[in-house]
Amino acid sequence: MLRIPEHGRSVADVQEALAGLRTHDVPWREGRTFGYVYEGGGHIDEVAQHAYMSFLYENGLDPTEFKSLLHLENEVVAMCIDHLRGDEQCVGNFTSGGTESIMLGVKAARDRFRVAHPDAVPEMVLPRTAHAAFHKSAHYLGLKVVITEVDGTTFRAVPDAMRAACNENTALLVGSATGYAHGVVDPIPEIAAIGLERDIPVHVDGCIGAFVLPFFRELGVAMPDFDLSVPGVTSISMDLHKYAFCPKGASVILHRSRARRAHQVYVCAQWSGYVLANAGVQSSKSGGPLAAAWSVLQHVGRDGYRARFAELLDTTRRIVAGVGEIEGLEVLGQPEMALIAIASTDPQVNVYHLSDLLGARGWHVQPQLRVTNSPANLHLTLTPGHTPHIEGFLEALAACTEEARRTETPAPPEPLLAALQQVDLSAVDEDTLAQLLGAAGIGEGGALPAERCVVNQLLDAMPLEARNRVLRFFFNGLFVPAE
Ligand SMILES: *Cc1c(COP(=O)(O)O)cnc(C)c1O
């Protein structure tokens, strides 16, 4: 077993070791990776790094002792409330990311529900396109998820279906602005109206879209209302570590009122140590992400964001138009954000195969599995860093589509597919699961077959619940102590 080194290593030695490790990561700095990292360019990096490092050791555990952090948080939240057209009653908190913001929105709704229904299981009505973080929150916080299918052409939530899914235990309704997968805005005013009708809180997931959409509106894009100006919207999550170009660990959760936020706060004064009072999930936390987020917002400013998003809008439109010209491909829905889902219209073109072919040429896109009425597709998250690479990407996409059409799609072994049809994956033991995955070229410790499309086809062929079981098994095997 690896041990903490008996003799400490020199600064240079440690730094060199670190630098070497990154060589196998996705090459995100080259503008050929469509996801994970959001680059704003200019001097953002410099501003963020300086602020992050200056507040590296400050502790957000106690905002009464670290008044600088309380000040920064209240300023960041105020700017976000203003951006999303909230009023003086609105409040919010800085969090570590979209998942934490969503978890807090769900917790606030759950605890509000519990006041009136101490013994019932709270339910959350989720469109199919709502982010996985809501499912995770329901899992952690003990809510029941009720899924409604979205429109199969626009990929927007269907308010009537959501209304029909409500009952006396519904504690929260969710809409996205925009959803991650297709980049479209759900009909938030209609969803919020259901909330008002039935006194149910409505959370808008603006993690990826809410920061950008107001700027797109300023740039002349027709934009439905989705923010705190809509009556009935009670909370919104918005990430700063995505399109506000802040380093990771930056998001906000905003609430309509202090009374609603009260259900988010956790306090414990019945143990033997300090009084613990947390607005979020984390307790001790570095001041770095908050200081960096505040500094990036100050440095870029509305004019800087507007200029970047004007370029982003243009880039998005050019890629949507370019994909439309490639025979055998289509863009799903009408993206209202810099998020694009590309599906195949030609049975000879398998998108997972296409993804592998693009990967071999150094272009990294994100496969999205088929779910109910959303077909298998490839996702692009565009940022200003992609602008110089539009032509190159579209050429590669066209060439790889042609290659995917001409060549055989590597497929999972027939016996394996047959075996999958026969076993109930949610019931098989771990050994059987390891054998099945081994047959597909998936080994312990994260070894994947060179042809990822084989794995994605297998996942596609499984019932949704079974996918979760298989992936949990795989992930559990990924993190094994180093030798
Ligand atoms: C990214 C994202 C989230 C989750 O945010 P994390 O920062 O990854 O925790 C939630 N909702 C949407 C729409 C997102 O795009």
Side-chain angles (χ1 to χ4, degrees):
M1 188 72 76
L2 191 68
R3 303 193 75 197
I4 297 167
E6 192 56 43
H7 303 290
R9 297 161 71 180
S10 72
V11 174
D13 191 21
V14 171
Q15 291 179 347
E16 197 180 321
L18 267 186
L21 285 175
R22 280 203 286 223
T23 47
H24 298 293
D25 290 355
V26 288
W28 62 268
R29 284 181 192 279
E30 294 163 22
R32 294 158 73 96
T33 301
F34 296 94
Y36 308 113
V37 183
Y38 302 73
E39 275 185 283
H43 295 283
I44 292 179
D45 228 20
E46 194 184 320
V47 169
Q49 289 198 27
H50 175 266
Y52 204 110
M53 292 308 157
S54 330
F55 278 77
L56 190 56
Y57 294 107
E58 269 63 26
N59 191 349
L61 174 65
D62 186 347
T64 66
E65 294 292 352
F66 288 91
K67 296 194 176 63
S68 59
L69 295 179
L70 181 60
H71 179 87
L72 290 172
E73 178 159 346
N74 284 337
E75 288 210 356
V76 167
V77 165
M79 291 185 277
C80 293
I81 291 171
D82 172 72
H83 191 50
L84 298 182
R85 303 191 291 188
D87 59 20
E88 279 68 43
Q89 304 303 309
C90 294
V91 296
N93 288 97
F94 182 82
T95 76
S96 63
T99 300
E100 187 180 359
S101 293
I102 286 170
M103 206 165 269
L104 295 174
V106 173
K107 178 191 179 305
R110 182 199 68 177
D111 289 3
R112 176 184 184 271
F113 175 86
R114 273 186 180 165
V115 173
H117 311 81
D119 300 319
V121 175
E123 300 186 10
M124 168 161 58
V125 175
L126 278 188
R128 176 70 67 185
T129 46
H131 194 276
F134 289 97
H135 295 263
K136 182 175 174 182
S137 299
H139 180 76
Y140 277 34
L141 298 170
L143 286 86
K144 180 182 165 198
V145 169
V146 181
I147 299 178
T148 60
E149 300 304 337
V150 299
D151 183 276
T153 310
T154 64
F155 301 97
R156 293 200 180 99
V158 179
D160 284 343
M162 295 182 72
R163 181 182 281 104
C166 290
N167 62 34
E168 70 279 4
N169 291 333
T170 307
L172 183 64
L173 294 165
V174 173
S176 303
T178 67
Y180 179 84
H182 311 90
V184 299
V185 183
D186 283 334
I188 302 299
E190 286 84 349
I191 297 171
I194 306 170
L196 283 178
E197 249 166 57
R198 309 191 53 142
D199 189 28
I200 302 169
V202 174
H203 182 93
V204 172
D205 182 10
C207 279
I208 203 158
F211 192 80
V212 182
L213 297 178
F215 286 106
F216 276 9
R217 186 189 282 127
E218 281 180 30
L219 291 163
V221 177
M223 187 67 62
D225 288 332
F226 65 88
D227 59 15
L228 290 163
S229 69
V230 180
V233 169
T234 55
S235 57
I236 298 191
S237 44
M238 177 169 77
D239 289 352
L240 300 175
H241 65 199
K242 288 177 180 154
Y243 283 96
F245 309 120
C246 302
K248 290 284 182 283
S251 174
V252 292
I253 168 75
L254 307 178
H255 293 273
R256 168 72 60 202
S257 68
R258 211 185 277 197
R260 290 193 183 265
R261 197 259 307 273
H263 297 289
Q264 172 195 309
V265 177
Y266 179 78
V267 176
C268 178
Q270 62 214 45
W271 70 305
S272 55
Y274 54 85
V275 168
L276 182 140
N278 297 148
V281 177
Q282 293 182 298
S283 215
S284 290
K285 56 181 178 181
S286 167
L290 172 58
W294 182 90
S295 302
V296 170
L297 291 171
Q298 295 298 313
H299 171 69
V300 180
R302 298 188 63 83
D303 55 355
Y305 284 117
R306 203 176 296 113
R308 284 169 172 85
F309 294 147
E311 183 184 306
L312 190 64
L313 189 59
D314 183 58
T315 299
T316 308
R317 286 175 172 162
R318 284 168 62 191
I319 294 202
V320 169
V323 171
E325 280 169 22
I326 299 174
E327 207 188 310
L329 298 185
E330 68 170 349
V331 170
L332 295 178
Q334 292 182 329
E336 293 169 285
M337 255 294 284
L339 307 170
I340 300 177
I342 302 172
S344 165
T345 53
D346 179 348
Q348 298 300 315
V349 177
N350 178 294
V351 287
Y352 303 137
H353 187 201
L354 176 55
S355 167
D356 285 353
L357 295 172
L358 284 166
R361 294 181 185 220
W363 298 95
H364 300 274
V365 300
Q366 226 173 35
Q368 298 189 130
L369 299 177
R370 176 186 65 78
V371 279
T372 57
N373 55 9
S374 181
N377 65 82
L378 302 180
H379 176 95
L380 307 181
T381 297
L382 303 173
T383 68
H386 293 118
T387 306
H389 304 280
I390 299 173
E391 298 306 327
F393 174 68
L394 288 173
E395 274 167 32
L397 187 63
C400 291
T401 303
E402 195 43 46
E403 190 177 340
R405 183 180 288 118
R406 278 199 329 267
T407 56
E408 189 95 16
T409 302
E414 272 303 326
L416 180 59
L417 279 174
L420 283 180
Q421 299 306 319
Q422 280 155 23
V423 295
D424 174 6
L425 281 171
S426 53
V428 297
D429 59 42
E430 302 258 299
D431 287 342
T432 315
L433 211 47
Q435 267 177 16
L436 285 170
L437 293 188
I442 305 168
E444 285 245 354
L448 286 174
E451 283 136 350
R452 296 280 180 99
C453 68
V454 172
V455 179
N456 287 324
Q457 287 174 82
L458 278 175
L459 289 169
D460 250 11
M462 291 175 195
L464 302 188
E465 288 299 320
R467 285 179 186 173
N468 295 347
R469 171 90 205 281
V470 169
L471 288 166
R472 187 161 66 231
F473 176 81
F474 172 73
F475 238 68
N476 193 23
L478 206 51
F479 298 95
V480 286
E483 291 182 0

